[in-house]
Amino acid sequence: MKKIPSAIATSLIVLSLGAGTVALQGCSVARDQSSMGEFVDDSTITTKVKALFVKDEMVAASAISAETLNGTVLLSGFAKTGAEKAKAEEIAKSVKGVKSVKNAIVVRN
């Protein structure tokens, strides 16, 4: 049996450990998300919802937050009217890739 030179053996071990670390990091992108693609999709959805809030005159984008996890958008914050709360939910539902919306916005007078 031939011996592998120690420099080559060390390099192979380091490469193997590095590849395993990269693979594990890709699997644990964020809590409860199973892949990097899912994380990117959720980030894209959140960005689109927030951009639409800014464009809309009825929704106060600075008072309403949106976060996305596994295609579910969670809306939170404060609205001045029930109509503003409903409009924020309608906007979130209109974004491609949204599976559901949980509207936790509180109406304050």
Side-chain angles (χ1 to χ4, degrees):
M1 208 164 130
K2 289 186 176 181
K3 274 191 160 182
I4 299 174
S6 63
I8 294 173
T10 302
S11 296
L12 289 173
I13 291 171
V14 170
L15 287 172
S16 296
L17 291 174
T21 301
V22 169
L24 287 175
Q25 286 176 346
C27 292
S28 61
V29 174
R31 197 169 108 206
D32 297 330
Q33 289 178 321
S34 60
S35 71
M36 180 60 117
E38 194 171 73
F39 175 77
V40 171
D41 291 345
D42 285 344
S43 296
T44 301
I45 289 169
T46 299
T47 301
K48 287 180 180 180
V49 169
K50 289 180 178 182
L52 290 172
F53 284 173
V54 170
K55 284 183 179 180
D56 193 277
E57 293 180 13
M58 185 179 217
V59 175
S62 61
I64 298 175
S65 297
E67 295 297 327
T68 309
L69 183 62
N70 299 326
T72 298
V73 178
L74 172 62
L75 302 177
S76 61
F78 300 97
K80 292 181 182 174
T81 65
E84 181 183 5
K85 177 180 177 175
K87 182 67 174 178
E89 183 172 341
E90 178 186 320
I91 289 170
K93 286 180 177 178
S94 75
V95 174
K96 183 178 178 183
V98 172
K99 295 175 185 173
S100 66
V101 175
K102 293 183 180 179
N103 192 341
I105 297 170
V106 176
V107 177
R108 273 194 184 168
N109 295 335

